[in-house]
Amino acid sequence: RAAADRHRPAFHFTAPAGWLNDPNGLTQRDGEYHLFYQFNPHAPVHDRIHWGHAVSTDLVNWRDLPIALAPSEGPDVDGCWSGVLVYDGDTPTIVYSGRHGDRELPCVAIGTPDLVEWTKLDVNPVIPSAPPGVDITAFRDHCVWREGSIWRQLIGSGIRGKGGTAFLYESPNLRDWTYIGPLLVGDGAAGEPSAPDWTGTMWECVDMFRIGDDGSAHRDVLVFSAWDDGVTHHPLYWTGRYESDRFTPTALHRLDLGGRYFYAPQSMRDESGRRLLFGWLQEGRPNSAAVAAGWSGVMSLPRVVTPAPDGSLHQSPAPEVDALRAEQLVTDSHVLSGDPVHIVSGDELDLEMLLTIPDGGSVTIVLRASDDDEERTTLHLTRQGDHAELSLDRTRSSLDAEVDASSRAGRVPVDDDGSVAIRILVDHSALEIFAGGVPLTTRIYPTREDALGVRLSGEGVRARVCAWAMRPTAREAVDVDGAAA
Ligand code: FRU
């Protein structure tokens, strides 16, 4: 691993080279998972986006396949933007946003059974314009499903002066679409952009699904990424009920306390019925640093989403991630008092902790800390009854003054006995934290070679800690159109 590449993750998926953003077209077929993604194979910048493609049988070791979609003369000449893959009978079909100038319109491509080769329809774009008479902020990204014999689709958008929205359409054949109306309209135009639950002026990557059994526990979920005028804010979700062409919300939630560092997520139901979620871990360093490194963007680890007791969603890394544990380094119990306890060192780690925190008490977890603490990333949990305030401090994560050092904070649930289950995946610059089923994802760029320490401190806090060294994922590349490293 070259020094310039010390930030490149070892067990998260990254593009072979160039730029990666959103996960697209998530599918499992005959046991194989397919991950497509927004990809610029030519440079680590967002420009003339293609669909990259990788397959896996275990969700963690991926094999690169040739580029699935590339911009070509016509409605997607400037990019093949985000979308989904559905099966029309046995015919794999991609619905994506073709970019032409600054317009995006829905396009369709048909695939070979192995999902490797794709043919765009001559009739693209399949919807020639956004709904007439509505002053919109944007019109892109797709969520497509079947209701009986008809197809339905949501397209992300925003109504000027009101807020983000998702427009609902239906079709008998995925080609001819009839506009139905807005599923739900947000109030972002009147909201406060700095609030962590601001719904934005446009909803990117809308994704709707039903979760839980069909009894009283089930809920409908509408995920979107709040966007405004070129700025990616954060992913949110509404829980509620989808019925009679409308979504009636019960509550709005933050999908990830890391905000824009887990952006544009897409979910899928796999063959075993699990709801899996992937998101884009965007960079927190300047473009020039990504250009020098030759790559940009990390795909999250797969997450399993289940209903949480309080009506929200519980997220945790898919159990397949456990297969990447190479060696157990630590299994320990501590009663924390005063001085920090050194737990383990590493930049490819899986940490599992069960913390029991007295009411009003707090615990500090330090990650990627240099021996003298000059560089360190600090997580802080303060218990207040049945919840804890989780905060992330990146002001000392890196000596490099150019990287983002903004803080994050939010609420996580605490069990009746005062305990919180924590899972932390450290993978060079990628950091995925789960506390009581609530994720906080971020990126950090330590410069010092000894910035590897994990330490714990608190007062009267009981901690059970396990730590594993992770195995870099196997990667078998094929020629993805001259893009292979
Ligand atoms: C979200 C997004 C989508 C768009 C794609 C373009 O990150 O902006 O709205 O389809 O990325 O790459």
Side-chain angles (χ1 to χ4, degrees), residues 14-335:
T14 51
W19 167 277
L20 165 150
N21 60 300
D22 316 352
N24 291 152
L26 300 175
T27 312
Q28 188 187 21
R29 189 75 168 182
D30 303 326
E32 282 207 310
Y33 290 96
H34 291 260
L35 168 66
F36 299 84
Y37 56 93
Q38 295 281 284
F39 181 31
N40 178 5
H42 304 299
V45 295
H46 189 266
D47 189 27
R48 292 201 83 227
I49 294 294
H50 299 53
W51 274 42
H53 185 191
V55 283
S56 170
T57 52
D58 64 6
L59 282 172
V60 286
N61 292 289
W62 295 95
R63 183 159 57 92
D64 292 309
L65 290 177
I67 284 169
L69 294 175
S72 57
E73 221 29 69
D76 66 8
V77 66
D78 293 313
C80 300
W81 283 21
S82 282
V84 293
L85 192 163
V86 293
Y87 278 89
D88 184 8
D90 281 331
T91 308
T93 305
I94 284 176
V95 182
Y96 67 103
S97 295
R99 168 113 172 153
H100 187 170
D102 57 9
R103 261 162 78 97
E104 293 112 28
L105 290 170
C107 292
V108 170
I110 303 299
T112 48
D114 58 5
L115 310 187
V116 169
E117 277 166 56
W118 294 87
T119 307
K120 299 171 188 174
L121 296 188
D122 291 336
V123 297
N124 283 336
V126 293
I127 299 176
S129 70
V134 192
D135 185 10
I136 57 157
T137 51
F139 185 61
R140 61 170 174 267
D141 310 336
H142 311 265
C143 173
V144 179
W145 70 98
R146 229 188 151 101
E147 280 177 26
S149 61
I150 54 160
W151 290 99
R152 297 205 130 197
Q153 105 158 282
L154 291 173
I155 301 179
S157 189
I159 302 175
R160 217 174 285 284
K162 289 193 176 158
T165 191
F167 291 127
L168 181 61
Y169 286 79
E170 67 178 30
S171 168
N173 57 12
L174 294 169
R175 289 157 174 73
D176 305 297
W177 293 92
T178 306
Y179 175 56
I180 297 179
L183 182 78
L184 175 67
V185 183
D187 61 359
E192 181 44 63
S194 62
D197 60 354
W198 183 50
T199 57
T201 56
M202 190 256 159
W203 293 354
E204 294 193 298
C205 301
V206 289
D207 184 19
M208 185 169 68
F209 53 87
R210 177 160 290 188
I211 196 156
D213 53 41
D214 278 330
S216 56
H218 94 252
R219 61 206 64 162
D220 295 319
V221 179
L222 180 62
V223 177
F224 62 97
S225 288
W227 182 92
D228 176 51
D229 200 18
V231 180
T232 52
H233 281 259
H234 40 241
L236 299 170
Y237 63 97
W238 298 99
T239 49
R241 197 143 190 109
Y242 163 61
E243 218 167 29
S244 315
D245 303 338
R246 304 284 299 175
F247 189 94
T248 308
T250 314
L252 177 68
H253 304 267
R254 295 164 71 184
L255 186 69
D256 191 300
L257 303 182
R260 73 176 187 91
Y261 288 102
F262 184 84
Y263 197 75
Q266 188 176 105
S267 77
M268 67 175 285
R269 191 183 142 97
D270 77 356
E271 290 176 333
S272 70
R274 295 185 300 176
R275 179 60 52 178
L276 299 175
L277 186 73
F278 287 85
W280 165 41
L281 276 50
Q282 62 179 301
E283 297 294 325
R285 55 181 176 177
N287 282 344
S288 55
V291 168
W295 65 279
S296 172
V298 176
M299 196 57 70
S300 75
L301 295 168
R303 296 178 179 182
V304 176
V305 179
T306 51
D310 69 354
S312 66
L313 298 178
H314 180 281
Q315 298 176 56
S316 57
E320 282 88 339
V321 171
D322 300 6
L324 296 175
R325 294 169 172 174
E327 185 194 348
Q328 180 147 18
L329 303 173
V330 171
T331 164
D332 254 337
S333 286
H334 301 274
V335 176

Side-chain angles (χ1 to χ4, degrees), residues 17 45 182-183 200 209 259 265 287 290 293 323 362 373 384 422-423 465 473 481:
V45 295
L183 182 78
F209 53 87
N287 282 344
S362 67
D373 259 350
Q384 289 148 357
I422 311 264
R423 178 85 177 267
V465 186
T473 47
D481 210 357

